[in-house]
Amino acid sequence: MGAGAALWAAPAKPQTAPGPPVETPDVPKLTPKLVDGWKEFRLVAEPVHTEFIPGRPVDGWGFNGSIPGPTIEVNEGDRVRVIFENHLPEPTALHWHGFEVPMTMDGSVGLGQDPIPPGGQFVHEFHLNQHGTLFYHSHFAMQEMMGMLGLFVVQPKVPHATKVDRDFGILLQEWAILPNNTVPNTMAMEFNWVTFNGKSGPDSTPMLVKQGERVRIRLVNLGMDHHPIHLHGNQFYVTGTEAGRKPEHLWFPENTVLVGVAQARDIEFDAKHLGEWMLHCHLPHHMMNQMVSMVGPISKESMHAMHTPGFYPLDDPEKKKILGYPQDMWMTMDSLYQKPETYGLPKGWTGAMMGMMSLIRVLTPEAYDKIQQLKKEKA
Ligand SMILES: [Cu+2]
């Protein structure tokens, strides 16, 4: 914690130890430099070339080479400095969503600060006396729809009474990218790609937990649509909003939480049941990739794949002959999505995963350790 620790008041009577650091699958975390008692971060707004799934290139805008931008995690009471540089071809400004900071740090162009020109820099400084799931985003609406969003978690000074073993962050975004284009259409009102942390199913990296652990997932939505996020096989409590922790007497069991535009919702549950549990938006069109009108016939092979359980010709690129577009089609491409986190999933699993969708894998300790071993070998 370094110099920032001096700003912490010792909790009167800590109920539990602080929770684990936040993990954001598919999105890097930003490490601060400690400078004279400040946690100093460098954020660069810039064009980012990425892929939502392998073979679906996208040219959006993000931060430090990532869409969404890197995750920042600090502690309540910290002094935070963000050195922000604009490498975009137009002016921008960063808004700190939900932060109680001075007007000049708020990022609202025309009210609190001037726009930051291309090549320009702005230094944000905050003393954070709040906690919760916050986020940063461009304060230009069209730039939001190019991808300019990032997670900012402030851990509480006094740990919450219910301690979690795992803490995940998932950012929800939607995109209009027509065939043969790589640049999002920011004027569109209809969207054909939806992402968790910049990836669509089946490329969203699963979240791994051991049976019996308590899990928090922080969901943040910044786009044009509201997303009812549903978890299979488990009941959860909504324990926090974009403004911090909810009092426990306001918690009740749910398994679908509506995350509206500009909202954050923290959910918590005890992972009692072994399994590969889907976490996904339940809007039918948000469980698909590349929604467009059909422009050609579906091949015989793909029809056969759809209607023959256990027959997956699309695993073989030679046989992949889809002339139209693959929305709502049972397509399996397991071999494309092999990573340690997908180890041991049943054959054909990729056919079930599309759009705004990921997996919570509740594993035995043995399976969990095996995957950690695979991750180490890959690193
Ligand atoms: Cu949705």
Side-chain angles (χ1 to χ4, degrees):
M1 238 162 291
L7 298 164
W8 274 53
K13 193 181 172 195
Q15 290 139 310
T16 62
V22 173
E23 295 173 57
T24 42
D26 304 311
V27 170
K29 278 183 91 166
L30 200 53
T31 314
K33 260 199 319 196
L34 290 170
V35 182
D36 302 329
W38 293 77
K39 282 186 181 168
E40 191 174 287
F41 298 89
R42 183 169 173 269
L43 266 188
V44 178
E46 59 188 356
V48 175
H49 182 80
T50 185
E51 286 188 335
F52 291 161
I53 59 172
R56 200 342 151 186
V58 177
D59 288 293
W61 289 357
F63 302 91
N64 300 22
S66 177
I67 297 174
T71 300
I72 297 178
E73 182 174 6
V74 301
N75 299 315
E76 185 177 358
D78 278 350
R79 288 178 195 274
V80 174
R81 178 180 295 130
V82 180
I83 300 171
F84 174 57
E85 290 170 28
N86 180 11
H87 292 189
L88 298 172
E90 61 183 43
T92 191
L94 268 195
H95 174 54
W96 303 88
H97 195 107
F99 290 56
E100 295 178 345
V101 295
M103 192 67 228
T104 50
M105 293 293 139
D106 183 64
S108 34
V109 166
L111 297 169
Q113 72 167 87
D114 294 327
I116 304 158
Q121 189 191 77
F122 189 91
V123 178
H124 292 273
E125 290 184 340
F126 327 119
H127 188 180
L128 292 173
N129 292 306
Q130 62 186 121
H131 63 259
T133 303
L134 310 176
F135 44 104
Y136 60 91
H137 63 80
S138 165
H139 209 250
F140 289 73
M142 292 306 211
Q143 294 178 359
E144 290 175 20
M145 297 312 292
M146 288 292 282
M148 296 184 66
L149 166 67
L151 181 65
F152 193 110
V153 171
V154 186
Q155 294 288 2
K157 193 177 282 185
V158 180
H160 300 314
T162 45
K163 180 178 178 279
V164 296
D165 303 292
R166 307 278 164 188
D167 198 337
F168 298 103
I170 300 282
L171 303 189
L172 286 48
Q173 292 172 293
E174 69 262 340
W175 315 83
I177 308 176
L178 294 177
N180 298 319
N181 278 276
T182 62
V183 178
N185 177 358
T186 57
M187 241 171 47
M189 300 291 283
E190 291 188 318
F191 303 93
N192 62 346
W193 283 93
V194 282
T195 52
F196 274 167
N197 287 353
K199 295 286 179 192
S200 297
D203 207 19
S204 295
T205 300
M207 289 164 267
L208 308 177
V209 313
K210 283 187 210 173
Q211 189 178 26
E213 288 184 326
R214 188 171 176 88
V215 182
R216 177 185 300 131
I217 305 173
R218 303 165 186 267
L219 302 158
V220 169
N221 178 16
L222 195 78
M224 290 281 291
D225 287 338
H226 314 294
H227 302 285
I229 302 295
H230 175 58
L231 175 63
H232 286 215
N234 296 270
Q235 318 305 332
F236 57 67
Y237 296 100
V238 177
T239 59
T241 73
E242 63 281 353
R245 191 78 167 171
K246 277 170 76 166
E248 260 184 66
H249 68 270
L250 295 179
W251 300 2
F252 50 89
E254 295 173 75
N255 52 51
T256 304
V257 58
L258 184 62
V259 190
V261 171
Q263 290 185 325
R265 291 291 177 269
D266 296 350
I267 63 171
E268 285 179 27
F269 62 98
D270 294 308
K272 288 184 283 209
H273 314 294
L274 290 175
E276 318 294 355
W277 303 115
M278 278 180 170
L279 178 79
H280 66 96
C281 177
H282 222 298
L283 290 189
H285 288 190
H286 292 185
M287 298 184 270
M288 298 177 199
N289 290 338
Q290 187 81 315
M291 280 281 294
V292 292
S293 301
M294 296 299 279
V295 294
I298 301 176
S299 73
K300 267 187 192 162
E301 282 84 357
S302 53
M303 288 302 283
H304 193 52
M306 286 164 71
H307 297 295
T308 311
F311 182 73
Y312 305 118
L314 300 175
D315 251 356
D316 178 354
E318 286 298 300
K319 292 184 181 166
K320 190 177 170 186
K321 291 175 186 165
I322 296 176
L323 302 177
Y325 287 91
Q327 64 222 29
D328 202 21
M329 183 184 291
W330 184 270
M331 275 177 67
T332 71
M333 300 161 282
D334 293 1
S335 55
L336 261 181
Y337 297 94
Q338 279 175 5
K339 39 191 164 186
E341 292 86 350
T342 64
Y343 172 83
L345 286 171
K347 182 172 160 48
W349 71 274
T350 48
M353 304 294 293
M354 274 181 285
M356 199 173 252
M357 192 175 288
S358 189
L359 290 173
I360 315 282
R361 304 192 64 189
V362 181
L363 301 163
T364 62
E366 296 72 33
Y368 183 87
D369 292 344
K370 168 74 183 171
I371 292 177
Q372 294 310 314
Q373 182 62 32
L374 293 172
K375 279 168 83 174
K376 224 181 276 174
E377 284 165 18
K378 192 184 162 199

